[in-house]
Amino acid sequence: MRIKLTVSYDGTDYCGWQVQPNGISVQSVLEEAIEKITGEKVKVTGSGRTDAGVHALGQVADFYTEKDNIPPENFAAALNTVLPDNVSVIKSERAADDFNSRKCAKKKTYRYLLYLSAVKLPLYERYAVQIDKNVNINKMREVSKVFIGTHDFKCFNASGGGAKTTVRTVYNIEIAEKDCMLSVSVTGSGFLYNMVRIMVGTLLKAGQGKLSAEDAEKMLISGKRSDGGNTLPAKGLCLMSVEYE
Amino acid sequence: MRIKLTVSYDGTDYCGWQVQPNGISVQSVLEEAIEKITGEKVKVTGSGRTDAGVHALGQVADFYTEKDNIPPENFAAALNTVLPDNVSVIKSERAADDFNSRKCAKKKTYRYLLYLSAVKLPLYERYAVQIDKNVNINKMREVSKVFIGTHDFKCFNASGGGAKTTVRTVYNIEIAEKDCMLSVSVTGSGFLYNMVRIMVGTLLKAGQGKLSAEDAEKMLISGKRSDGGNTLPAKGLCLMSVEYE
């Protein structure tokens, strides 16, 4: 049977989701845990590859097991007994035989956390990126509207991304502020390599008064990465949820 | 001149505030940073000793320097250039010559974070402690009222605490819930060794239906530690602020 897992991890100490020649990946840690529980060497498929240092609250993954005698919902607790503290299976359930976490994904939501402070705050440093207090959030919201919809996001495609098409649909961008924490949540059909980190870097540039909505529109048309903001650090990014039909 | 520092730190990798024979303390890291900036070997006094693993958002410390030519408010930025990422000086200011962070402290506020989840959540694990969802927050609030006021808190005094008197005043206990995060903020005149961690453990026991307000009152009268809840782990505790006159 095919098992669907909802997985959360602190990505700080990982080389990313995908198995890599050097460094420990979340995927390999899950595959080892499954082998410890079932005795089977399986391949775990994730909804997408999160980069080194990127976190997840609701990554989705799947694998096939011959152990039909284990109730699907019990895999979560069983795997958590052997997983390290920085990876946890929040939920396990039976999926259709042809379910594929990556191919069947319809929507993903990523959240980027920024904190507004003149000095570094150690308690925020692990999951958020410090920015100067002088940022205009309404400007960020205004420019974010330019990115909603189906567009060619070539301008947000980092070199190294091997996507066939750079057209994606962004359904929603929500910018919320609480105390000194600023969160930018982006929901889309899928994302190009580093797309969220560059997009939020571009919104930040807008918030700093260095980029207008017109500039953002021109970026989409020109497809030129150079017009955008910086690629923000991995640690501020978290894969919140993946939706299926 | 005497300098007052407001300090934040992630206590995970420290043996606590105070210099210890083994392990690195926050105090020693600050003293080394001050030496790098001023060339002076100073003794930094903190408002209190936070235990190994306890965090701080607003610890207060002070030291004496002969460098009267450095504007007091500049120490923060200067020290932050040499401090590690897990310790940060939020503010530096000149204090009265007889100011002593510990002796002059009037009120302290600690916050304890618990998260309600059936499974471990890696993104919360560093600063909060997982508890079962079946906790009655109103019961916790009800029992917390018993502890407000000036009492002999002998029942919350862990062995090893060398306080002359176990009488303390608790001004306020605020229990707030947001999403799955439960925070217990305790403001008091001062705290006995492990007092907040035992107090919150006792409130948790109340929330689990295993301790009533009457039981709590009896604890205060008997002074018996054995009647209370567990001493909760250090990582959930954070020194939020210290107030002076």
Side-chain angles (χ1 to χ4, degrees):
Chain A
M1 62 180 168
R2 189 153 293 278
I3 301 290
K4 177 185 172 190
L5 302 175
T6 305
V7 186
S8 178
Y9 45 88
D10 179 322
T12 310
D13 298 329
Y14 289 99
C15 68
W17 168 265
Q18 201 188 25
V19 172
Q20 301 278 349
N22 41 13
I24 301 166
S25 69
V26 180
Q27 184 193 344
S28 63
V29 163
L30 278 169
E31 287 174 353
E32 282 162 28
I34 293 165
E35 191 178 351
K36 278 181 193 157
I37 297 300
T38 66
E40 300 168 329
K41 278 194 185 295
V42 301
K43 187 181 180 300
V44 171
T45 301
S47 75
R49 308 167 184 177
T50 55
D51 281 338
V54 172
H55 314 291
L57 199 63
Q59 167 71 292
V60 172
D62 68 274
F63 67 97
Y64 182 84
T65 176
E66 298 282 351
K67 301 281 172 188
D68 292 348
N69 57 324
I70 304 178
E73 62 276 15
N74 288 12
F75 275 95
L79 290 171
N80 287 337
T81 62
V82 294
L83 282 167
D85 279 355
N86 52 14
V87 179
S88 185
V89 176
I90 291 173
K91 193 180 177 186
S92 61
E93 59 201 301
R94 180 153 191 182
D97 288 349
D98 61 350
F99 176 76
N100 179 299
S101 301
R102 187 171 60 80
K103 291 180 186 163
C104 302
K106 293 296 176 203
K107 284 185 188 180
K108 282 183 197 171
T109 298
Y110 277 95
R111 180 192 67 190
Y112 201 94
L113 288 181
L114 300 161
Y115 72 93
L116 288 70
S117 172
V119 294
K120 192 178 279 186
L121 296 176
L123 298 181
Y124 293 161
E125 272 292 304
R126 200 169 175 92
Y127 305 114
V129 169
Q130 182 198 351
I131 56 167
D132 195 80
K133 285 179 181 179
N134 295 320
V135 64
N136 185 327
I137 294 164
N138 287 331
K139 274 273 173 210
M140 291 178 71
R141 288 204 178 102
E142 190 190 320
V143 171
S144 76
K145 292 195 181 88
V146 174
F147 302 133
I148 307 288
T150 303
H151 300 286
D152 185 339
F153 285 104
K154 198 176 152 190
C155 61
F156 289 147
N157 194 24
S159 56
K164 280 176 222 161
T165 163
T166 49
V167 174
R168 294 288 184 279
T169 301
V170 171
Y171 296 106
N172 192 38
I173 301 178
E174 198 182 311
I175 303 175
E177 196 188 5
K178 193 183 179 295
D179 303 325
C180 67
M181 195 63 84
L182 188 66
S183 74
V184 182
S185 300
V186 186
T187 302
S189 58
F191 296 96
L192 303 167
Y193 184 56
N194 278 355
M195 176 168 161
V196 180
R197 289 160 62 186
I198 304 171
M199 189 187 278
V200 178
T202 303
L203 293 177
L204 181 59
K205 196 174 170 183
Q208 291 163 339
K210 298 177 206 156
L211 186 137
S212 67
E214 294 71 46
D215 293 333
E217 281 162 15
K218 280 183 201 157
M219 272 184 74
L220 281 183
I221 294 163
S222 74
K224 276 165 75 180
R225 164 77 188 86
S226 56
D227 296 333
N230 294 329
T231 305
L232 296 182
K235 67 175 182 177
L237 189 63
C238 183
L239 174 55
M240 302 300 281
S241 60
V242 187
E243 287 176 59
Y244 295 88
E245 250 162 20
Chain B
M1 62 181 168
R2 190 153 293 279
I3 300 290
K4 176 186 171 190
L5 303 175
T6 305
V7 186
S8 178
Y9 44 88
D10 178 323
T12 310
D13 298 329
Y14 290 100
C15 68
W17 169 264
Q18 201 187 26
V19 172
Q20 300 280 349
N22 41 12
I24 301 166
S25 69
V26 181
Q27 184 193 343
S28 63
V29 163
L30 278 168
E31 288 174 352
E32 282 163 28
I34 293 164
E35 192 178 352
K36 279 181 193 157
I37 297 300
T38 66
E40 301 167 328
K41 277 195 186 293
V42 301
K43 187 181 178 302
V44 172
T45 301
S47 76
R49 307 167 184 177
T50 54
D51 281 338
V54 173
H55 314 290
L57 199 63
Q59 166 72 293
V60 172
D62 68 274
F63 67 97
Y64 182 83
T65 176
E66 299 283 351
K67 301 282 172 188
D68 291 349
N69 57 326
I70 303 178
E73 63 277 15
N74 288 11
F75 276 93
L79 290 171
N80 287 337
T81 62
V82 294
L83 282 167
D85 279 355
N86 52 14
V87 178
S88 184
V89 176
I90 291 173
K91 194 180 177 187
S92 61
E93 59 202 301
R94 180 154 190 181
D97 288 349
D98 61 350
F99 176 76
N100 178 299
S101 301
R102 188 172 59 81
K103 292 179 185 163
C104 302
K106 292 296 175 205
K107 283 186 187 179
K108 282 183 198 172
T109 298
Y110 277 94
R111 179 192 66 191
Y112 201 95
L113 288 181
L114 300 160
Y115 71 93
L116 289 70
S117 172
V119 294
K120 191 178 278 183
L121 296 177
L123 298 182
Y124 294 159
E125 272 293 303
R126 200 170 176 92
Y127 305 114
V129 169
Q130 181 197 352
I131 56 166
D132 195 81
K133 286 180 181 179
N134 295 321
V135 64
N136 185 328
I137 293 163
N138 287 332
K139 274 271 172 209
M140 291 178 71
R141 289 205 177 100
E142 191 190 319
V143 172
S144 75
K145 292 195 180 86
V146 174
F147 303 132
I148 307 289
T150 303
H151 301 286
D152 185 339
F153 285 104
K154 199 176 151 190
C155 61
F156 290 146
N157 194 24
S159 57
K164 281 176 220 160
T165 164
T166 47
V167 173
R168 294 288 184 279
T169 300
V170 170
Y171 297 106
N172 191 39
I173 302 178
E174 196 183 311
I175 303 175
E177 195 188 6
K178 194 184 179 294
D179 301 326
C180 67
M181 195 62 85
L182 188 66
S183 74
V184 182
S185 299
V186 186
T187 302
S189 58
F191 295 97
L192 303 167
Y193 183 56
N194 278 357
M195 176 169 161
V196 181
R197 289 160 62 185
I198 303 171
M199 190 188 277
V200 178
T202 303
L203 293 178
L204 181 58
K205 197 174 169 181
Q208 291 162 340
K210 297 177 207 156
L211 187 137
S212 67
E214 293 73 44
D215 295 333
E217 281 162 14
K218 281 182 200 158
M219 273 185 73
L220 280 184
I221 294 162
S222 74
K224 277 165 75 180
R225 164 77 186 87
S226 56
D227 296 333
N230 295 328
T231 306
L232 296 182
K235 67 175 181 177
L237 190 63
C238 183
L239 174 55
M240 300 301 281
S241 59
V242 187
E243 287 176 59
Y244 296 87
E245 250 163 16

